[in-house]
Amino acid sequence: MARNKHPGRAMSLGALAVLLSALLALCLGAAGLTLPQLWEGMTCPDSIPGRILFHVRLPRVLTTLLCGCALGMAGAVLQTVLHNSLAGPNIIGVNAGAGLGAVACMALAPGAAAMQVSLCAFAGALGAVRCVYLVGRAAGSSRLTLVLSGVALGSLLTAGIDAITTFVPDVLPSATQFKQGSAAMASASALPPLALAVLAGGAGILALSRELDLLALGDETAFSLGMRPGRYRLAFLMLACLMAGSAIAVMGLVGFVGLIVPHMARLLTGSEGRRLLPLSGLLGAAFLTLCDLAARTLFAPYELPVGILLSALGAPFFLGLLIRRRGA
Amino acid sequence: MSEVTLRAENLSAGYGRRPVVEAFSCAFRPGEVTVLLGRNGCGKSTVLRALGGLLPPLAGRVLLDGEEIGAYRPARRAQLLATLPQGRDVPDITARRLVLHGRFPYLAYPRRYGPAEQARAEAALRRVGIPELADQPLKRLSGGQRQKVYLALLLCQDSPVMLLDEPTTYLDIGCQLETWQLCRELAAQGRTVVAVSHDIGQSLRYGHRVLLVEGGRLLLDACPGEAAASGALERAFGVRVRRVDNDYLVVAP
């Protein structure tokens, strides 16, 4: 449904959500910071609040903001390009592909730089999405075909991750955490390549938002209106995989952000790319940051990997989509 | 309206390497509604896809305004030729938004739709008789209403050559006749109109020319009167065609 009446309002809401979630996530945690302490920390990095802020909270919050933005936008692009509202990156095997790429890179080249791991995750994600797309096209037009082939491919790729972590246990100090998706592994050194991928991918996607609108009309109509759908689809899949892959390389297999967030954004602003894409990025950033905050504070002193919380939210959401689709 | 011809020369087209259509030659002229008739699976839609450039020819060529259609920049091609495809998706947008996309090939990056584009979209929606549905989401419209929105998209694209794959499916009989009337008007403006249809009677009534495709080959290319008299249509479809004043009645043999 297209609700385009207050596009500016939706965007401000998204920006506000990002700011609030970042502020909350910076302040709350095992050692809470009050606002004056936060200020002290920011102005004086060597103070205790400063150390908490710059060594613990800030890298983590930046990681969840960037990963959430990447996954939200990637999900919006995938759902549009594949004409399938069920096409979250985790559902169609993109996450597993990126995870396998990242783990394979770490196993084959121990000590690889974050940038290299990101690139391998990108390659893995792209391989997975091409595979699922081609299978879906060969098998017929049903929307569930894509999901089913994603499930099959996903379990194959996850088995690949398991195989590598079994044979080369040193690859991942916490393989379980990686498979669930967690921001606890976040480090400041992984941020620059992640930020680069999010900026480049996000800018590319936003620049082509009108072309994305045309792709949503189906290949024949898009072609008739004067674009080359195949070429643009490939470009969009690459950009989406670049974003999702670099997020997965840093946080592991975080599921469902890319499925849930575009649906929230679409409810707020309709499905026109120029509004949907930036809003998906903003809401994704806020959503993942809030989820991570909840995961590390709700059961303190235990810290839940955020992936578990996301699955608890995402799986029912997915089932709800299935049921609603049937009724529609 | 600048007059633009479309010509197929010895065209073979198909999917993979197997041709569905072979040795198809025909010139489509401005000012005429040309109707492609044929049984299911005879290759009508394949001809139309190849004519529109969507399907690259396996042999032969398609000339749009004298130049090979594959040689055009996509946006330029879309300014000259518009296609109403058979499979029409139902994207999650309003009718107005879909119709606005008809201006896509005319705009330079970043392709923002301004007041001029809005006005053209409004006019196109009015022309097909559904201005009140402009802000309805496509998903809430009936099949026939969506069909009209797609016709409005075609009008908004405003190309001198228009290819329509089964433009009357989903429409009630009144709307079917209106659509044919619209085709005639478009042709009268100097456009080259090519339509695929399943309705022999309507094709003979509203087409200036009728092409019969059978087994991937062009069997007949004639004006309606000749086409009806030739008996080729009757043989191809296993029916009898009777003339009643200006209309043609298709009856069981």
Side-chain angles (χ1 to χ4, degrees):
Chain A
M1 238 156 289
R3 298 189 179 94
N4 295 330
K5 284 182 189 133
H6 306 290
R9 198 178 293 179
M11 221 58 79
S12 333
L13 195 76
L16 193 69
V18 169
L19 282 177
L20 276 180
S21 63
L23 196 65
L24 279 175
L26 285 175
C27 288
L28 301 178
L33 298 177
T34 60
L35 282 180
Q37 282 174 319
L38 187 66
W39 179 250
E40 186 194 343
M42 278 197 277
T43 47
C44 175
D46 286 329
S47 63
I48 291 176
R51 282 191 208 152
I52 294 177
L53 190 63
F54 284 99
H55 294 281
V56 185
R57 296 277 161 78
L58 200 57
R60 184 159 185 160
V61 169
L62 286 176
T63 302
T64 55
L65 285 176
L66 287 168
C67 287
C69 174
L71 290 169
M73 283 183 87
V77 169
L78 288 174
Q79 289 177 12
T80 310
V81 170
L82 300 173
H83 303 288
N84 196 328
S85 59
L86 300 174
N90 63 322
I91 307 288
I92 60 168
V94 168
N95 283 9
L100 181 61
V103 172
C105 176
M106 293 185 241
L108 291 173
M115 181 65 98
Q116 290 159 319
V117 177
S118 277
L119 283 177
C120 290
F122 162 62
L126 194 60
V129 82
R130 286 298 284 173
C131 201
V132 167
Y133 172 68
L134 292 176
V135 170
R137 208 171 59 166
S141 57
S142 159
R143 312 228 151 198
L144 287 177
T145 316
L146 195 76
V147 175
L148 291 175
S149 50
V151 169
L153 187 70
S155 63
L156 178 69
L157 294 168
T158 327
I161 298 178
D162 288 336
I164 294 180
T165 49
T166 307
F167 288 119
V168 197
D170 306 339
V171 170
L172 281 175
S174 49
T176 325
Q177 224 173 31
F178 183 84
K179 278 181 63 187
Q180 286 161 347
S182 161
M185 304 170 283
S187 71
S189 65
L191 280 174
L194 176 63
L196 194 68
V198 170
L199 276 179
I205 288 171
L206 289 181
L208 295 176
S209 59
R210 178 65 81 212
E211 278 74 7
L212 189 70
D213 289 341
L214 247 69
L215 266 186
L217 307 181
D219 280 11
E220 291 197 37
T221 305
F223 180 87
S224 163
L225 288 170
M227 76 179 277
R228 297 187 174 96
R231 205 175 276 192
Y232 277 96
R233 178 166 32 246
L234 183 62
F236 280 116
L237 291 181
M238 288 179 76
L239 287 166
C241 287
L242 174 69
M243 294 188 91
S246 49
I248 300 303
V250 174
M251 280 189 64
L253 273 57
V254 210
F256 292 110
V257 178
L259 177 75
I260 298 175
V261 166
H263 282 277
M264 299 197 301
R266 217 171 278 127
L267 276 179
L268 286 170
T269 192
S271 53
E272 198 194 338
R274 200 162 278 162
R275 292 168 190 157
L276 175 69
L277 295 167
L279 190 63
S280 294
L282 290 174
L283 291 183
F287 181 68
L288 186 57
T289 305
L290 284 178
C291 285
D292 184 53
L293 174 66
R296 68 187 160 88
T297 51
L298 281 184
F299 304 98
Y302 297 104
E303 187 183 318
L304 204 63
V306 67
I308 294 182
L309 183 67
L310 281 167
S311 296
L313 292 174
F317 183 85
F318 181 77
L319 295 176
L321 277 184
L322 276 180
I323 293 168
R324 212 188 57 163
R325 178 151 281 289
R326 210 184 133 80
Chain B
M1 179 55 54
S2 62
E3 301 201 335
V4 175
T5 55
L6 181 68
R7 206 162 74 231
E9 285 182 355
N10 207 19
L11 173 72
S12 291
Y15 309 93
R17 248 171 286 163
R18 271 192 59 196
V20 176
V21 175
E22 278 183 286
F24 186 96
S25 293
C26 183
F28 301 91
R29 289 185 289 267
E32 286 188 351
V33 176
T34 308
V35 189
L36 280 167
L37 278 171
R39 304 189 69 145
N40 289 328
C42 74
K44 304 182 296 289
S45 291
T46 307
V47 169
L48 211 68
R49 287 205 183 101
L51 287 176
L54 185 66
L55 209 56
L58 297 170
R61 45 189 203 157
V62 174
L63 298 174
L64 174 64
D65 205 16
E67 266 189 72
E68 265 196 70
I69 193 160
Y72 280 93
R73 276 188 307 111
R76 179 64 191 143
R77 184 204 65 230
Q79 291 173 12
L80 293 179
L81 180 145
T83 309
L84 175 75
Q86 192 179 41
R88 295 177 273 267
D89 284 34
V90 190
D92 188 13
I93 52 177
T94 60
R96 183 197 305 278
R97 177 56 57 181
L98 178 68
V99 176
L100 268 175
H101 286 315
R103 302 314 295 168
F104 179 88
Y106 297 91
L107 297 178
Y109 188 83
R111 304 198 169 95
R112 287 185 185 278
Y113 300 142
E117 285 72 35
Q118 295 282 356
R120 276 180 174 266
E122 292 271 347
L125 283 164
R126 265 199 309 277
R127 177 61 193 83
V128 296
I130 48 167
E132 74 283 1
L133 299 180
D135 294 310
Q136 290 287 324
L138 283 180
K139 290 198 190 282
R140 279 207 221 133
L141 301 183
S142 73
Q145 289 171 327
R146 281 178 203 156
Q147 175 89 348
K148 289 186 178 181
V149 179
Y150 267 95
L151 282 171
L153 166 67
L154 210 68
L155 293 181
C156 193
Q157 194 175 341
D158 198 25
S159 313
V161 181
M162 292 187 172
L163 310 180
L164 301 90
D165 201 346
E166 299 191 18
T168 53
T169 36
Y170 305 115
L171 297 178
D172 62 55
I173 181 70
C175 293
Q176 287 182 21
L177 299 185
E178 278 173 28
T179 303
W180 283 113
Q181 202 58 51
L182 178 64
C183 288
R184 293 287 290 218
E185 272 175 42
L186 292 169
Q189 293 166 359
R191 287 177 222 263
T192 307
V193 181
V194 185
V196 165
S197 174
H198 274 297
D199 193 306
I200 302 171
Q202 291 176 1
S203 304
L204 291 170
R205 172 76 169 78
Y206 290 98
H208 294 99
R209 260 168 88 204
V210 174
L211 308 184
L212 174 64
V213 182
E214 200 172 66
R217 287 179 183 272
L218 182 59
L219 210 68
L220 175 79
D221 175 356
C223 68
E226 286 171 30
S230 71
L233 292 172
E234 303 184 322
R235 280 193 297 281
F237 290 94
V239 294
R240 285 180 60 203
V241 179
R242 283 197 202 139
R243 183 158 187 165
V244 184
D245 300 329
N246 281 329
D247 283 293
Y248 293 86
L249 199 62
V250 179
V251 294

